[in-house]
Amino acid sequence: FFLSTGSSLCSYELQPSEYTTDPRAAKLCPKYPVPESAPIPFFHRCAPVNISCYAKFAEALITFVSDSSVLHRLISGVMTSKEIIMGLCLLSLVLSMILMVIIRYISRVLVWILTILVILGSLGGTGVLWWLYAKQRISANAVETQIAKDNLQALLIYAISATVFTVILLLIMLIMRKRVALTIALFHVAGKVFIHLPLLVFQPFWTFFVLILFWTYWITVLLFLGTTGSPVPNEEGFVEFRMVGPLKYMWWYHVVGLIWISEFILACQQMTVAGAVVTYYFTREKRDLPFTPILASVNRLVCYHLGTVAKGSFIITLVKIPRMILMYIHTQLKGKENACARCMLKACICCLWCLEKCLTYLNQNAYTATAINSTNFCTSAKDAFVILVENALRVAAINTVGDFMLFLGKVLIVCSTGLAGIMLLNYQRDYTIWVLPLIIVCLFAFLVAHCFLSIYEMVVDVLFLCFAIDTKYNDGSPGKEFYMDKVLM
């Protein structure tokens, strides 16, 4: 500054040649207008060297929290009840593990109770509608008004519709009673699988840990992409980093990588679970099981089946990306498009969503077929599709009754944890608001219950495909003995 302007900012007793060398310069010269910084090894940015800068930031944050009374009460509520929150989260974990054991023993009673309640509910509802119709008809004869006639006609339509629904429901229950029994048996055998393969319970945690690592890497690369480019001066005289050439389209490639690799990691979990359960099912003497069937399954996946998993996850990606593009277009055109375009967009999004769900289910069964036969993805998908079509009614029973049971299990765990939370937090009077701690606990309880019970659902689906293949190629005669459990027989 002195060399370019001839103006001395420092004390006159310090010569300009000594500004950068004399140790007295820190006292005799003014402070820098910007705190001294040093480069950090990420994203080509600098960070303040003096720790007081971070202290001031923390002070400002605390001031903001203190000024915001609601936010302050919410955060203080969480901090005051942190021991209760941790205890309730642990409770949800224990309840999920207990429920997986209980389902094995009460599955028969639970399914039949649900079935009876549905039948009684439909019969009762139909009876009430016909009774209301009869009562309304008697009163309508006494008072002839247009409103009474309309109500009578509406009740007749409702009663007839309910009767048709009840008859169809009873016929379905009659046809599918044996398939419901199969669902109960599969849940029972799934409980035995977890007894022999207890480490399956922790599979979601490993998958979640790997996903977190990948997402961290993905965000890091995204930030690097955001700070790449060539420095170009803009109109205001500042320098901007603008991406030119192929680099502009790299983030599209990066987004595709996010979807594909996330699906790949989830597919690896499905293949691992399928391999372990297939080993259990097709081992006649359970004492001859490998010491660690799950590690053996991981080894087979890495050595032989990574291509199968990559292809299956890529097919899901091909369906997911167009759906996301259509959803983005729908969001951008909100309020601008006409009714016909809006309807077509929503229909396309819905169709792609249904296709994605169907392909995900088919992929999961294809991985099971791969674990059984060691065939490639396309052959396994074809075999799995044929078996699912041949056992369509059984599949329907398992996916309705089984999924509904597991959904009730999730609701039970969330409600139990939430109730315990209300009872415990109600006695904690040190703060005003305990809604946020309760929401945190309930969300965690649902997440844990979903992780545990989704593995249970996966095991049931794998067992079903093994059962279907077993019944297709074996008949119980000498040389063609069944591999299945006695409960399934």
Short mmCIF file of all heavy atoms in Angstrom, two decimals, residues 361-420:
data_model
loop_
_atom_site.label_atom_id
_atom_site.label_comp_id
_atom_site.label_asym_id
_atom_site.label_seq_id
_atom_site.Cartn_x
_atom_site.Cartn_y
_atom_site.Cartn_z
N TYR A 361 -39.86 -55.56 -7.32
CA TYR A 361 -40.28 -56.87 -6.78
C TYR A 361 -39.74 -58.01 -7.63
O TYR A 361 -39.26 -59.02 -7.10
CB TYR A 361 -41.82 -56.91 -6.74
CG TYR A 361 -42.36 -58.17 -6.12
CD1 TYR A 361 -42.23 -58.41 -4.76
CD2 TYR A 361 -43.00 -59.13 -6.89
CE1 TYR A 361 -42.72 -59.57 -4.18
CE2 TYR A 361 -43.50 -60.30 -6.33
CZ TYR A 361 -43.36 -60.50 -4.97
OH TYR A 361 -43.84 -61.65 -4.41
N LEU A 362 -39.78 -57.83 -8.96
CA LEU A 362 -39.26 -58.88 -9.86
C LEU A 362 -37.74 -59.02 -9.67
O LEU A 362 -37.22 -60.15 -9.66
CB LEU A 362 -39.59 -58.52 -11.31
CG LEU A 362 -39.13 -59.53 -12.37
CD1 LEU A 362 -39.82 -60.88 -12.17
CD2 LEU A 362 -39.41 -59.02 -13.78
N ASN A 363 -37.03 -57.89 -9.53
CA ASN A 363 -35.58 -57.94 -9.31
C ASN A 363 -35.23 -58.73 -8.05
O ASN A 363 -34.31 -59.55 -8.05
CB ASN A 363 -35.03 -56.51 -9.17
CG ASN A 363 -34.73 -55.89 -10.52
OD1 ASN A 363 -35.07 -56.45 -11.54
ND2 ASN A 363 -34.13 -54.73 -10.51
N GLN A 364 -35.98 -58.45 -6.98
CA GLN A 364 -35.71 -59.14 -5.72
C GLN A 364 -35.86 -60.66 -5.89
O GLN A 364 -35.04 -61.44 -5.38
CB GLN A 364 -36.69 -58.64 -4.65
CG GLN A 364 -36.38 -59.17 -3.26
CD GLN A 364 -37.33 -58.60 -2.22
OE1 GLN A 364 -37.73 -57.44 -2.31
NE2 GLN A 364 -37.71 -59.40 -1.25
N ASN A 365 -36.90 -61.08 -6.61
CA ASN A 365 -37.09 -62.51 -6.86
C ASN A 365 -36.05 -63.06 -7.84
O ASN A 365 -35.66 -64.23 -7.75
CB ASN A 365 -38.50 -62.77 -7.38
CG ASN A 365 -39.55 -62.65 -6.29
OD1 ASN A 365 -39.73 -63.54 -5.48
ND2 ASN A 365 -40.22 -61.51 -6.24
N ALA A 366 -35.59 -62.20 -8.76
CA ALA A 366 -34.53 -62.62 -9.69
C ALA A 366 -33.23 -62.88 -8.93
O ALA A 366 -32.50 -63.84 -9.24
CB ALA A 366 -34.31 -61.55 -10.76
N TYR A 367 -32.94 -62.06 -7.91
CA TYR A 367 -31.74 -62.28 -7.09
C TYR A 367 -31.84 -63.61 -6.34
O TYR A 367 -30.84 -64.33 -6.18
CB TYR A 367 -31.54 -61.13 -6.11
CG TYR A 367 -31.37 -59.78 -6.75
CD1 TYR A 367 -31.87 -58.61 -6.15
CD2 TYR A 367 -30.71 -59.63 -7.97
CE1 TYR A 367 -31.72 -57.37 -6.74
CE2 TYR A 367 -30.56 -58.39 -8.57
CZ TYR A 367 -31.07 -57.27 -7.96
OH TYR A 367 -30.93 -56.04 -8.55
N THR A 368 -33.06 -63.93 -5.88
CA THR A 368 -33.26 -65.22 -5.20
C THR A 368 -33.02 -66.37 -6.15
O THR A 368 -32.36 -67.36 -5.81
CB THR A 368 -34.69 -65.29 -4.61
OG1 THR A 368 -34.92 -64.16 -3.79
CG2 THR A 368 -34.88 -66.56 -3.79
N ALA A 369 -33.56 -66.25 -7.38
CA ALA A 369 -33.35 -67.29 -8.39
C ALA A 369 -31.88 -67.43 -8.74
O ALA A 369 -31.37 -68.55 -8.95
CB ALA A 369 -34.17 -66.97 -9.65
N THR A 370 -31.17 -66.31 -8.78
CA THR A 370 -29.72 -66.34 -9.02
C THR A 370 -29.00 -67.08 -7.89
O THR A 370 -28.10 -67.89 -8.12
CB THR A 370 -29.17 -64.91 -9.15
OG1 THR A 370 -29.77 -64.27 -10.26
CG2 THR A 370 -27.66 -64.91 -9.34
N ALA A 371 -29.43 -66.80 -6.64
CA ALA A 371 -28.81 -67.46 -5.49
C ALA A 371 -29.06 -68.97 -5.51
O ALA A 371 -28.23 -69.75 -5.05
CB ALA A 371 -29.35 -66.85 -4.19
N ILE A 372 -30.22 -69.38 -6.05
CA ILE A 372 -30.55 -70.82 -6.09
C ILE A 372 -29.83 -71.52 -7.24
O ILE A 372 -29.18 -72.56 -7.06
CB ILE A 372 -32.08 -71.02 -6.22
CG1 ILE A 372 -32.80 -70.47 -4.99
CG2 ILE A 372 -32.43 -72.50 -6.41
CD1 ILE A 372 -34.30 -70.37 -5.14
N ASN A 373 -29.93 -70.94 -8.45
CA ASN A 373 -29.47 -71.63 -9.66
C ASN A 373 -28.12 -71.13 -10.18
O ASN A 373 -27.58 -71.71 -11.13
CB ASN A 373 -30.51 -71.48 -10.78
CG ASN A 373 -31.85 -72.06 -10.38
OD1 ASN A 373 -31.91 -73.11 -9.75
ND2 ASN A 373 -32.94 -71.37 -10.72
N SER A 374 -27.63 -70.00 -9.66
CA SER A 374 -26.38 -69.37 -10.15
C SER A 374 -26.45 -69.02 -11.63
O SER A 374 -25.47 -69.12 -12.35
CB SER A 374 -25.18 -70.28 -9.88
OG SER A 374 -24.97 -70.42 -8.50
N THR A 375 -27.64 -68.60 -12.09
CA THR A 375 -27.81 -68.17 -13.48
C THR A 375 -27.66 -66.65 -13.58
O THR A 375 -27.66 -65.95 -12.57
CB THR A 375 -29.20 -68.58 -13.99
OG1 THR A 375 -30.19 -68.19 -13.02
CG2 THR A 375 -29.29 -70.09 -14.20
N ASN A 376 -27.55 -66.15 -14.83
CA ASN A 376 -27.38 -64.70 -15.01
C ASN A 376 -28.70 -63.97 -14.75
O ASN A 376 -29.75 -64.59 -14.55
CB ASN A 376 -26.83 -64.38 -16.40
CG ASN A 376 -27.75 -64.84 -17.51
OD1 ASN A 376 -28.96 -64.74 -17.40
ND2 ASN A 376 -27.18 -65.37 -18.58
N PHE A 377 -28.65 -62.64 -14.81
CA PHE A 377 -29.81 -61.84 -14.40
C PHE A 377 -31.03 -62.11 -15.26
O PHE A 377 -32.13 -62.33 -14.74
CB PHE A 377 -29.46 -60.35 -14.44
CG PHE A 377 -30.62 -59.46 -14.10
CD1 PHE A 377 -30.99 -59.27 -12.78
CD2 PHE A 377 -31.36 -58.84 -15.09
CE1 PHE A 377 -32.08 -58.47 -12.45
CE2 PHE A 377 -32.45 -58.04 -14.78
CZ PHE A 377 -32.80 -57.85 -13.46
N CYS A 378 -30.88 -62.09 -16.58
CA CYS A 378 -32.03 -62.24 -17.48
C CYS A 378 -32.69 -63.61 -17.30
O CYS A 378 -33.92 -63.71 -17.21
CB CYS A 378 -31.60 -62.04 -18.93
SG CYS A 378 -31.05 -60.35 -19.28
N THR A 379 -31.88 -64.67 -17.24
CA THR A 379 -32.43 -66.03 -17.04
C THR A 379 -33.13 -66.12 -15.70
O THR A 379 -34.23 -66.68 -15.60
CB THR A 379 -31.29 -67.07 -17.12
OG1 THR A 379 -30.57 -66.89 -18.34
CG2 THR A 379 -31.83 -68.49 -17.04
N SER A 380 -32.52 -65.57 -14.66
CA SER A 380 -33.11 -65.61 -13.32
C SER A 380 -34.42 -64.83 -13.28
O SER A 380 -35.40 -65.28 -12.66
CB SER A 380 -32.14 -65.03 -12.30
OG SER A 380 -30.95 -65.77 -12.25
N ALA A 381 -34.45 -63.65 -13.93
CA ALA A 381 -35.67 -62.84 -13.95
C ALA A 381 -36.80 -63.57 -14.68
O ALA A 381 -37.96 -63.55 -14.23
CB ALA A 381 -35.40 -61.50 -14.63
N LYS A 382 -36.46 -64.26 -15.78
CA LYS A 382 -37.48 -65.02 -16.53
C LYS A 382 -38.01 -66.17 -15.67
O LYS A 382 -39.23 -66.37 -15.57
CB LYS A 382 -36.86 -65.57 -17.82
CG LYS A 382 -37.85 -66.28 -18.73
CD LYS A 382 -37.15 -67.04 -19.83
CE LYS A 382 -36.46 -68.28 -19.28
NZ LYS A 382 -35.86 -69.14 -20.31
N ASP A 383 -37.12 -66.91 -15.03
CA ASP A 383 -37.55 -68.03 -14.17
C ASP A 383 -38.42 -67.53 -13.02
O ASP A 383 -39.45 -68.14 -12.70
CB ASP A 383 -36.32 -68.76 -13.60
CG ASP A 383 -35.51 -69.46 -14.68
OD1 ASP A 383 -36.06 -69.67 -15.78
OD2 ASP A 383 -34.34 -69.79 -14.43
N ALA A 384 -38.00 -66.45 -12.38
CA ALA A 384 -38.77 -65.90 -11.26
C ALA A 384 -40.15 -65.43 -11.71
O ALA A 384 -41.15 -65.67 -11.02
CB ALA A 384 -38.00 -64.73 -10.63
N PHE A 385 -40.21 -64.80 -12.89
CA PHE A 385 -41.50 -64.30 -13.42
C PHE A 385 -42.45 -65.46 -13.68
O PHE A 385 -43.64 -65.39 -13.33
CB PHE A 385 -41.25 -63.50 -14.70
CG PHE A 385 -42.50 -62.95 -15.32
CD1 PHE A 385 -43.14 -61.85 -14.74
CD2 PHE A 385 -43.06 -63.52 -16.45
CE1 PHE A 385 -44.30 -61.34 -15.30
CE2 PHE A 385 -44.22 -63.02 -17.02
CZ PHE A 385 -44.84 -61.91 -16.44
N VAL A 386 -41.94 -66.53 -14.29
CA VAL A 386 -42.79 -67.71 -14.58
C VAL A 386 -43.34 -68.30 -13.28
O VAL A 386 -44.54 -68.62 -13.18
CB VAL A 386 -41.97 -68.77 -15.36
CG1 VAL A 386 -42.73 -70.09 -15.45
CG2 VAL A 386 -41.65 -68.25 -16.76
N ILE A 387 -42.48 -68.42 -12.27
CA ILE A 387 -42.92 -69.01 -10.99
C ILE A 387 -43.95 -68.10 -10.30
O ILE A 387 -44.95 -68.59 -9.75
CB ILE A 387 -41.70 -69.26 -10.07
CG1 ILE A 387 -40.88 -70.41 -10.64
CG2 ILE A 387 -42.13 -69.58 -8.65
CD1 ILE A 387 -39.52 -70.57 -10.02
N LEU A 388 -43.74 -66.79 -10.35
CA LEU A 388 -44.69 -65.86 -9.73
C LEU A 388 -46.05 -65.91 -10.42
O LEU A 388 -47.09 -65.84 -9.75
CB LEU A 388 -44.13 -64.44 -9.76
CG LEU A 388 -42.91 -64.16 -8.88
CD1 LEU A 388 -42.38 -62.76 -9.13
CD2 LEU A 388 -43.24 -64.33 -7.41
N VAL A 389 -46.05 -66.03 -11.76
CA VAL A 389 -47.31 -66.12 -12.50
C VAL A 389 -48.03 -67.42 -12.16
O VAL A 389 -49.26 -67.46 -11.98
CB VAL A 389 -47.06 -66.00 -14.02
CG1 VAL A 389 -48.32 -66.34 -14.80
CG2 VAL A 389 -46.59 -64.60 -14.37
N GLU A 390 -47.28 -68.52 -12.07
CA GLU A 390 -47.88 -69.82 -11.74
C GLU A 390 -48.48 -69.83 -10.33
O GLU A 390 -49.39 -70.61 -10.05
CB GLU A 390 -46.81 -70.93 -11.84
CG GLU A 390 -46.41 -71.25 -13.28
CD GLU A 390 -45.25 -72.24 -13.34
OE1 GLU A 390 -44.69 -72.56 -12.28
OE2 GLU A 390 -44.91 -72.68 -14.46
N ASN A 391 -47.95 -68.98 -9.44
CA ASN A 391 -48.42 -68.94 -8.05
C ASN A 391 -49.03 -67.58 -7.73
O ASN A 391 -48.82 -67.03 -6.64
CB ASN A 391 -47.26 -69.22 -7.09
CG ASN A 391 -46.68 -70.60 -7.26
OD1 ASN A 391 -47.12 -71.56 -6.63
ND2 ASN A 391 -45.68 -70.73 -8.13
N ALA A 392 -49.81 -67.04 -8.69
CA ALA A 392 -50.32 -65.67 -8.55
C ALA A 392 -51.17 -65.49 -7.30
O ALA A 392 -51.05 -64.48 -6.59
CB ALA A 392 -51.12 -65.29 -9.80
N LEU A 393 -52.06 -66.46 -7.00
CA LEU A 393 -52.94 -66.34 -5.83
C LEU A 393 -52.14 -66.39 -4.53
O LEU A 393 -52.42 -65.65 -3.59
CB LEU A 393 -53.99 -67.45 -5.84
CG LEU A 393 -55.12 -67.28 -6.87
CD1 LEU A 393 -56.04 -68.49 -6.84
CD2 LEU A 393 -55.93 -66.01 -6.60
N ARG A 394 -51.14 -67.25 -4.49
CA ARG A 394 -50.29 -67.32 -3.30
C ARG A 394 -49.53 -66.01 -3.10
O ARG A 394 -49.41 -65.51 -1.97
CB ARG A 394 -49.29 -68.47 -3.44
CG ARG A 394 -49.91 -69.86 -3.30
CD ARG A 394 -48.91 -70.92 -3.69
NE ARG A 394 -49.37 -72.26 -3.34
CZ ARG A 394 -48.74 -73.37 -3.70
NH1 ARG A 394 -47.65 -73.30 -4.44
NH2 ARG A 394 -49.20 -74.55 -3.33
N VAL A 395 -49.02 -65.47 -4.20
CA VAL A 395 -48.30 -64.18 -4.14
C VAL A 395 -49.22 -63.08 -3.61
O VAL A 395 -48.83 -62.28 -2.75
CB VAL A 395 -47.74 -63.80 -5.53
CG1 VAL A 395 -47.17 -62.39 -5.51
CG2 VAL A 395 -46.66 -64.77 -5.96
N ALA A 396 -50.46 -63.07 -4.12
CA ALA A 396 -51.43 -62.06 -3.68
C ALA A 396 -51.71 -62.17 -2.19
O ALA A 396 -51.75 -61.17 -1.47
CB ALA A 396 -52.74 -62.21 -4.47
N ALA A 397 -51.86 -63.41 -1.71
CA ALA A 397 -52.14 -63.63 -0.28
C ALA A 397 -50.97 -63.15 0.58
O ALA A 397 -51.16 -62.47 1.59
CB ALA A 397 -52.41 -65.10 -0.01
N ILE A 398 -49.74 -63.49 0.16
CA ILE A 398 -48.56 -63.11 0.95
C ILE A 398 -48.38 -61.59 0.95
O ILE A 398 -48.08 -61.00 1.99
CB ILE A 398 -47.30 -63.82 0.38
CG1 ILE A 398 -47.39 -65.33 0.67
CG2 ILE A 398 -46.03 -63.26 0.99
CD1 ILE A 398 -46.48 -66.15 -0.18
N ASN A 399 -48.59 -60.97 -0.21
CA ASN A 399 -48.36 -59.53 -0.31
C ASN A 399 -49.47 -58.69 0.30
O ASN A 399 -49.29 -57.50 0.52
CB ASN A 399 -48.15 -59.11 -1.76
CG ASN A 399 -46.79 -59.51 -2.27
OD1 ASN A 399 -45.85 -59.66 -1.50
ND2 ASN A 399 -46.66 -59.71 -3.57
N THR A 400 -50.65 -59.28 0.54
CA THR A 400 -51.72 -58.53 1.20
C THR A 400 -51.74 -58.82 2.70
O THR A 400 -51.52 -57.94 3.51
CB THR A 400 -53.09 -58.88 0.58
OG1 THR A 400 -53.24 -60.32 0.53
CG2 THR A 400 -53.21 -58.33 -0.82
N VAL A 401 -51.93 -60.09 3.04
CA VAL A 401 -52.01 -60.48 4.45
C VAL A 401 -50.68 -60.21 5.16
O VAL A 401 -50.62 -59.60 6.23
CB VAL A 401 -52.41 -61.96 4.59
CG1 VAL A 401 -52.46 -62.37 6.06
CG2 VAL A 401 -53.75 -62.22 3.94
N GLY A 402 -49.58 -60.67 4.54
CA GLY A 402 -48.25 -60.52 5.15
C GLY A 402 -47.86 -59.07 5.35
O GLY A 402 -47.44 -58.66 6.44
N ASP A 403 -48.02 -58.26 4.29
CA ASP A 403 -47.63 -56.85 4.39
C ASP A 403 -48.50 -56.10 5.39
O ASP A 403 -48.01 -55.21 6.10
CB ASP A 403 -47.74 -56.17 3.01
CG ASP A 403 -46.65 -56.64 2.06
OD1 ASP A 403 -45.82 -57.47 2.49
OD2 ASP A 403 -46.63 -56.20 0.90
N PHE A 404 -49.79 -56.48 5.46
CA PHE A 404 -50.69 -55.81 6.41
C PHE A 404 -50.28 -56.14 7.84
O PHE A 404 -50.29 -55.28 8.72
CB PHE A 404 -52.14 -56.23 6.14
CG PHE A 404 -53.13 -55.48 6.98
CD1 PHE A 404 -53.26 -54.10 6.86
CD2 PHE A 404 -53.93 -56.13 7.90
CE1 PHE A 404 -54.16 -53.40 7.63
CE2 PHE A 404 -54.84 -55.44 8.67
CZ PHE A 404 -54.97 -54.07 8.54
N MET A 405 -49.91 -57.39 8.08
CA MET A 405 -49.43 -57.79 9.41
C MET A 405 -48.18 -56.99 9.81
O MET A 405 -48.09 -56.48 10.93
CB MET A 405 -49.09 -59.28 9.42
CG MET A 405 -50.26 -60.19 9.66
SD MET A 405 -49.73 -61.91 9.69
CE MET A 405 -48.68 -61.93 11.14
N LEU A 406 -47.24 -56.85 8.87
CA LEU A 406 -46.01 -56.12 9.18
C LEU A 406 -46.28 -54.63 9.37
O LEU A 406 -45.65 -53.98 10.21
CB LEU A 406 -44.99 -56.35 8.07
CG LEU A 406 -44.48 -57.79 7.94
CD1 LEU A 406 -43.58 -57.93 6.73
CD2 LEU A 406 -43.76 -58.25 9.20
N PHE A 407 -47.25 -54.10 8.61
CA PHE A 407 -47.63 -52.70 8.80
C PHE A 407 -48.22 -52.49 10.19
O PHE A 407 -47.90 -51.50 10.87
CB PHE A 407 -48.65 -52.28 7.73
CG PHE A 407 -49.25 -50.92 7.96
CD1 PHE A 407 -48.51 -49.77 7.75
CD2 PHE A 407 -50.55 -50.79 8.43
CE1 PHE A 407 -49.04 -48.52 7.98
CE2 PHE A 407 -51.10 -49.55 8.67
CZ PHE A 407 -50.35 -48.40 8.44
N LEU A 408 -49.07 -53.42 10.63
CA LEU A 408 -49.63 -53.34 11.98
C LEU A 408 -48.52 -53.41 13.03
O LEU A 408 -48.58 -52.74 14.06
CB LEU A 408 -50.63 -54.47 12.21
CG LEU A 408 -52.00 -54.33 11.52
CD1 LEU A 408 -52.86 -55.53 11.84
CD2 LEU A 408 -52.71 -53.05 11.94
N GLY A 409 -47.49 -54.23 12.75
CA GLY A 409 -46.35 -54.32 13.65
C GLY A 409 -45.64 -52.99 13.79
O GLY A 409 -45.28 -52.57 14.90
N LYS A 410 -45.44 -52.28 12.66
CA LYS A 410 -44.79 -50.96 12.69
C LYS A 410 -45.62 -49.98 13.51
O LYS A 410 -45.09 -49.21 14.33
CB LYS A 410 -44.59 -50.43 11.28
CG LYS A 410 -43.59 -51.22 10.45
CD LYS A 410 -43.58 -50.73 9.00
CE LYS A 410 -42.78 -51.68 8.11
NZ LYS A 410 -42.82 -51.26 6.70
N VAL A 411 -46.95 -50.00 13.26
CA VAL A 411 -47.84 -49.09 13.99
C VAL A 411 -47.79 -49.39 15.49
O VAL A 411 -47.75 -48.47 16.32
CB VAL A 411 -49.29 -49.23 13.46
CG1 VAL A 411 -50.27 -48.47 14.34
CG2 VAL A 411 -49.38 -48.73 12.03
N LEU A 412 -47.77 -50.69 15.83
CA LEU A 412 -47.72 -51.10 17.24
C LEU A 412 -46.47 -50.57 17.93
O LEU A 412 -46.53 -50.04 19.05
CB LEU A 412 -47.79 -52.63 17.33
CG LEU A 412 -47.69 -53.24 18.74
CD1 LEU A 412 -48.92 -52.86 19.55
CD2 LEU A 412 -47.55 -54.75 18.67
N ILE A 413 -45.31 -50.70 17.27
CA ILE A 413 -44.04 -50.25 17.87
C ILE A 413 -44.03 -48.72 18.04
O ILE A 413 -43.65 -48.20 19.09
CB ILE A 413 -42.84 -50.71 17.02
CG1 ILE A 413 -42.67 -52.22 17.15
CG2 ILE A 413 -41.56 -50.00 17.44
CD1 ILE A 413 -41.73 -52.83 16.15
N VAL A 414 -44.48 -47.99 17.01
CA VAL A 414 -44.51 -46.53 17.09
C VAL A 414 -45.47 -46.07 18.19
O VAL A 414 -45.14 -45.18 18.99
CB VAL A 414 -44.92 -45.91 15.72
CG1 VAL A 414 -45.12 -44.41 15.84
CG2 VAL A 414 -43.84 -46.19 14.68
N CYS A 415 -46.66 -46.69 18.25
CA CYS A 415 -47.65 -46.30 19.27
C CYS A 415 -47.14 -46.62 20.68
O CYS A 415 -47.31 -45.82 21.60
CB CYS A 415 -48.98 -47.01 19.01
SG CYS A 415 -49.83 -46.42 17.54
N SER A 416 -46.53 -47.80 20.85
CA SER A 416 -46.02 -48.19 22.18
C SER A 416 -44.92 -47.24 22.63
O SER A 416 -44.91 -46.77 23.78
CB SER A 416 -45.48 -49.62 22.14
OG SER A 416 -46.47 -50.52 21.72
N THR A 417 -43.99 -46.93 21.71
CA THR A 417 -42.89 -46.01 22.06
C THR A 417 -43.44 -44.62 22.33
O THR A 417 -43.01 -43.95 23.28
CB THR A 417 -41.86 -45.96 20.91
OG1 THR A 417 -41.49 -47.29 20.54
CG2 THR A 417 -40.62 -45.21 21.32
N GLY A 418 -44.39 -44.16 21.49
CA GLY A 418 -44.98 -42.84 21.69
C GLY A 418 -45.73 -42.73 23.02
O GLY A 418 -45.63 -41.72 23.73
N LEU A 419 -46.47 -43.79 23.38
CA LEU A 419 -47.20 -43.80 24.66
C LEU A 419 -46.23 -43.75 25.84
O LEU A 419 -46.44 -42.98 26.80
CB LEU A 419 -48.07 -45.06 24.74
CG LEU A 419 -48.96 -45.20 25.99
CD1 LEU A 419 -49.97 -44.07 26.05
CD2 LEU A 419 -49.67 -46.55 25.99
N ALA A 420 -45.17 -44.56 25.77
CA ALA A 420 -44.16 -44.53 26.83
C ALA A 420 -43.52 -43.14 26.91
O ALA A 420 -43.25 -42.63 28.01
CB ALA A 420 -43.10 -45.60 26.56
#
